[in-house]
Amino acid sequence: MKKRLFTSESVTEGHPDKVCDKISDSVLDALLAQDPMSRVALETCCNTGFALLMGEVTSAAQVDYEAIARKAIVEIGYDSEDKGFDGNSCAVLVRLDKQSADIALGVDNSVEHRADASDPYDLTGAGDQGMVFGYACDETPELMPMPISLAHKLTARLTQARKSGELAYLRPDGKAQVSVEYRDDRVARIAAIVVSTQHAPEIEIEQLRRDVREQIIDRVIPAHLIDAQTDIYINPTGRFVIGGPNGDSGLTGRKIIVDSYGGYCPHGGGAFSGKDPTKVDRSACYMARYVCKNVVAAGLARKCQLDIAYAIGVAKPVAVQVNTFGTGVVDDTRIAAAIDKVFDLRPLAIIDRLQLRRPQFADTSNYGHFGREDKGFVWEMTDKTDELRQALGL
């Protein structure tokens, strides 16, 4: 029997990097609501007392960037000075330029479209070169790896308990980490759980640890996966009062592993938040997840990884690679051929299929961009399973 451990982490929406992701995606949503063709590459950084919005925006929309940023910060829970950061009073700086005209050349009129304008999906080229990865597996109902799935559920539950008043002394910043033991490539048990949460200064550490165990961990982690050897650490330093932007600087796009699969598969390196869908490091990642989830949901493999590479200004991917890690019911080359028949991986086709020009991205900025079946994201649908099986003659 082969044993291995794998660990993934998640952070709450009050983590300084996630504050920045939420602001950037909230601005993106506001721009798309007025102008679905907006070009946006917006990053936010924050530290004690201020947030800075920077990047490129080309849009017919007229939005109040400062008001959007303040609203996002307050919604997270930073609404008073005693929490170390206050969206009502912090400085908000806006430093935005327009998208480079050189980049727009390839996005607006791809190499293929210049050669032959007959196919409308050839119009839009990729907004940059690079590779993206998608993944799905049968470890959880939402077809995500177990470590990142449980880590996200823990941080989401921390936020729920804080905002509902169940644990009113909690503050917005926090982290969770889950180590899963696999035996013969199947989930066997939880080896370790780490939860660290910001809190009001008056709370006793013994009460916090008891509450987090009972109200957070025991409500999230399946009891049969915890045993006497499971290591559980709750606020192991003993104190976490200073947090959020007051405790550390934040930056959009610095939690790309948290946002995707918890390190369970490769990552192309491109961040998601604050980017419009012509940026394939966002939109094509969503498409790759959509493809892989349908492959696994169709029963074609227990796990599936898709690697797609693009060239700037070119619509068609320059490389597509499928890997089912030996779990496929047929050879990976046959699955790849079926994917090619069923899915169009050109940027404009991805945008249309996944409905990526509508405001929805603030909801992706926390607790993962994938496995969020409660949010109605098209890339989490499994509506192509029959087509894939038919393409394989199954």
Side-chain angles (χ1 to χ4, degrees):
M1 179 173 59
K2 287 186 177 181
K3 292 184 180 181
R4 67 181 176 93
L5 291 176
F6 196 89
T7 302
S8 294
E9 75 157 350
S10 177
V11 298
T12 65
E13 60 199 59
H15 185 283
D17 294 332
K18 281 295 159 192
V19 172
C20 295
D21 285 347
K22 176 70 177 288
I23 293 170
S24 295
D25 275 333
S26 296
V27 170
L28 174 64
D29 280 350
L31 291 165
L32 291 175
Q34 292 186 34
D35 179 8
M37 305 303 289
S38 296
R39 297 283 171 80
V40 185
L42 190 149
E43 295 179 348
T44 303
C45 69
C46 65
N47 206 336
T48 305
F50 84 93
L52 167 63
L53 283 64
M54 56 189 176
E56 303 169 351
V57 173
T58 302
S59 176
Q62 298 292 321
V63 303
D64 187 336
Y65 294 101
E66 180 179 337
I68 294 168
R70 293 190 186 283
K71 182 173 184 288
I73 295 167
V74 170
E75 284 179 349
I76 289 168
Y78 290 120
D79 54 7
S80 64
E81 291 293 340
D82 69 320
K83 296 176 183 176
F85 197 59
D86 184 359
N88 298 300
S89 61
C90 69
V92 177
L93 309 177
V94 180
R95 299 291 185 269
L96 298 173
D97 293 319
K98 292 185 177 181
Q99 183 184 60
S100 162
D102 294 344
I103 294 174
L105 283 174
V107 177
D108 294 335
N109 193 11
S110 75
V111 169
E112 295 95 330
H113 193 259
R114 292 198 296 271
D116 178 3
S118 61
D119 189 337
Y121 279 139
D122 274 342
L123 174 63
T124 300
D128 201 353
Q129 70 177 42
M131 76 293 292
V132 301
F133 292 87
Y135 187 81
C137 63
D138 65 357
E139 294 178 13
T140 62
E142 68 272 23
L143 304 185
M144 286 288 285
M146 181 70 79
I148 191 64
S149 176
L150 292 179
H152 282 322
K153 287 178 170 62
L154 286 170
T155 53
R157 174 61 189 147
L158 276 174
T159 297
Q160 181 188 43
R162 170 176 62 87
K163 289 187 171 181
S164 69
E166 294 172 78
L167 300 178
Y169 60 80
L170 296 183
R171 295 292 182 259
D173 199 355
K175 291 185 173 184
Q177 182 174 284
V178 178
S179 301
V180 174
E181 180 180 312
Y182 292 83
R183 297 174 187 168
D184 290 336
D185 208 34
R186 292 290 192 178
V187 172
R189 57 183 290 272
I190 304 298
I193 300 167
V194 183
V195 177
S196 295
T197 179
Q198 186 185 12
H199 57 85
E202 66 273 10
I203 193 69
E204 296 292 335
I205 186 62
E206 292 80 10
Q207 180 184 345
L208 182 145
R209 287 173 173 163
R210 182 172 61 252
D211 289 345
V212 169
R213 177 62 194 264
E214 294 174 357
Q215 301 298 322
I216 309 299
I217 295 173
D218 289 348
R219 290 198 184 186
V220 168
I221 306 296
H224 71 278
L225 294 178
I226 298 179
D227 56 33
Q229 283 72 49
T230 300
D231 292 321
I232 298 178
Y233 299 97
I234 300 169
N235 280 36
T237 66
R239 182 177 170 85
F240 185 1
V241 172
I242 301 171
N246 189 37
D248 196 3
S249 62
L251 180 65
T252 297
R254 203 157 56 183
K255 286 290 177 284
I256 58 176
I257 299 302
V258 171
D259 285 344
S260 52
Y261 304 98
Y264 212 84
C265 78
H267 196 293
F272 302 152
S273 289
K275 295 179 180 178
D276 77 83
T278 65
K279 279 70 172 174
V280 289
D281 44 10
R282 181 171 213 163
S283 56
C285 268
Y286 290 179
M287 190 65 171
R289 163 64 178 171
Y290 180 53
V291 172
C292 290
K293 189 169 183 179
N294 274 273
V295 168
V296 174
L300 305 182
R302 287 199 301 108
K303 57 179 72 174
C304 179
Q305 177 180 295
L306 183 65
D307 175 7
I308 315 171
Y310 291 89
I312 188 169
V314 180
K316 188 177 180 180
V318 297
V320 180
Q321 180 70 36
V322 177
N323 188 352
T324 64
F325 307 92
T327 69
V329 298
V330 297
D331 189 77
D332 286 355
T333 57
R334 289 187 61 195
I335 294 176
I339 289 170
D340 187 56
K341 288 182 180 179
V342 175
F343 299 95
D344 192 333
L345 302 180
R346 291 174 293 178
L348 190 55
I350 291 172
I351 290 169
D352 283 356
R353 177 67 201 100
L354 302 185
Q355 301 175 27
L356 296 179
R357 294 205 190 277
R358 61 185 176 92
Q360 59 189 310
F361 297 108
D363 281 338
T364 69
S365 61
N366 291 288
Y367 315 114
H369 292 242
F370 309 125
R372 306 286 300 283
E373 295 183 333
D374 59 323
K375 296 296 183 180
F377 300 139
V378 177
W379 58 90
E380 289 299 320
M381 294 174 62
T382 54
D383 57 335
K384 297 293 185 180
T385 55
D386 289 344
E387 290 181 57
L388 282 169
R389 293 183 65 82
Q390 289 169 9
L392 286 167
L394 299 179

